[in-house]
Amino acid sequence: MNSTFELYGAPTGNCLRAAIALEEADLPYTPKLVDLASFEHQGADHLALNPLGKVPVLVEREDGREPFVLTQSTAIMLYAAGKGAGRLLPDYEPHRAIVLERLFFFVTDVIAVNHAAFSLRDSNAQEAQKILMDRMLATLETAERYVARDEFIAGAAFSLADIAAYTITRSVMSDLPWSKLPNLRRWVEAIDRRPAVRRGLEVFERIYDPEVVSRLAM
Ligand SMILES: N[C@@H](CCC(=O)N[C@@H](CS)C(=O)NCC(=O)O)C(=O)O
């Protein structure tokens, strides 16, 4: 039986990772914009999907079954990799383990530290925020060694690790010392050119475009 997918989100790093994974896995889905500025994520409809009041949320619908609701961008990426086409997570155990090693490197050692720094933005803890940002950037720079050896972050093939690495790298482009990172630059430019990545980046922005809205409504 065919299922359909909806991705609730906004143009933020966690949502873009989920959208790019769905695009790269070639899984058709309907993007549902959640307006964070007007606190739609704190409204009853969204809290019914995710009691934490966060995006992204993936909803899979299949006739005759309760909708399957999944939160956490990394869980959504792994689910998309398992369900969809492509080889975002290889079957061969040693390759799979390396993809997971690098995926968790970015999610826990880089992205989580960035989120911690971001959460201090409105506080009086600028010094702590800077310490966390500097630590995050220094850790991210070490990814140069992955792409000095291989074309992609976890070897010769594009994987979930590239998606996690790409969205965070892209969000701090102007803070990185690019003269020291020639391979990371070559890698980020290659990922920029992937059509599925471009579609994933634009999916929540395009919902605002009246022409796209009228097409989506058809
Ligand atoms: N660990 C979660 C984090 C989700 C998260 O923090 N999402 C942000 C947007 S990137 C959000 O919903 N922020 C709204 C808020 O916290 O009020 C994930 O990876 O999905």
Side-chain angles (χ1 to χ4, degrees):
M1 212 178 289
N2 280 343
S3 44
T4 60
F5 295 92
E6 291 161 0
L7 183 66
Y8 291 79
T12 70
N14 289 320
C15 299
L16 296 180
R17 269 191 292 289
I20 293 172
L22 289 163
E23 295 284 350
E24 287 281 355
D26 212 9
L27 277 183
Y29 64 100
T30 304
K32 302 274 191 182
L33 183 68
V34 178
D35 188 353
L36 300 181
S38 63
F39 295 97
E40 195 182 341
H41 55 301
Q42 299 292 350
D45 286 353
H46 192 74
L47 291 176
L49 290 177
N50 184 0
L52 288 178
K54 304 269 186 195
V55 286
V57 179
L58 182 74
V59 179
E60 181 179 17
R61 297 183 196 280
E62 202 174 311
D63 284 347
R65 292 210 178 161
E66 284 289 300
F68 174 61
V69 179
L70 190 62
T71 66
Q72 292 295 336
S73 53
T74 309
I76 295 171
M77 290 167 69
L78 287 160
Y79 194 63
K83 281 247 149 180
R87 309 197 67 77
L88 294 177
L89 188 60
D91 292 333
Y92 180 59
E93 284 298 341
H95 289 171
R96 187 182 185 89
I98 292 295
V99 169
L100 292 174
E101 175 200 63
R102 315 263 159 107
L103 173 65
F104 289 119
F105 165 79
F106 282 100
V107 170
T108 64
D109 298 3
V110 183
I111 295 169
V113 179
N114 187 55
H115 282 189
F118 185 72
S119 68
L120 296 177
R121 70 195 179 286
D122 294 329
S123 70
N124 278 330
Q126 273 82 13
E127 202 180 320
Q129 185 182 22
K130 184 172 171 359
I131 290 170
L132 288 173
M133 277 304 285
D134 288 348
R135 180 178 301 171
M136 181 277 287
L137 290 168
T139 308
L140 175 52
E141 281 173 41
T142 69
E144 171 73 8
R145 74 190 193 284
Y146 296 147
V147 280
R149 213 167 34 220
D150 291 306
E151 185 176 350
F152 294 101
I153 294 289
F158 181 88
S159 71
L160 291 180
D162 292 283
I163 301 174
Y166 176 73
T167 51
I168 183 67
T169 303
R170 200 173 163 274
S171 72
V172 293
M173 285 298 279
S174 57
D175 298 319
L176 286 167
W178 287 106
S179 59
K180 289 197 303 184
L181 306 172
N183 293 290
L184 203 63
R185 182 177 278 289
R186 183 260 310 146
W187 165 84
V188 82
E189 286 172 357
I191 306 300
D192 273 336
R193 291 192 292 271
R194 293 177 74 86
V197 169
R198 299 249 48 100
R199 288 196 302 276
L201 287 179
E202 287 166 10
V203 75
F204 291 111
E205 314 272 7
R206 279 186 299 134
I207 298 179
Y208 289 117
D209 179 337
E211 201 188 311
V212 177
V213 170
S214 68
R215 268 193 282 130
L216 286 173
M218 282 193 310

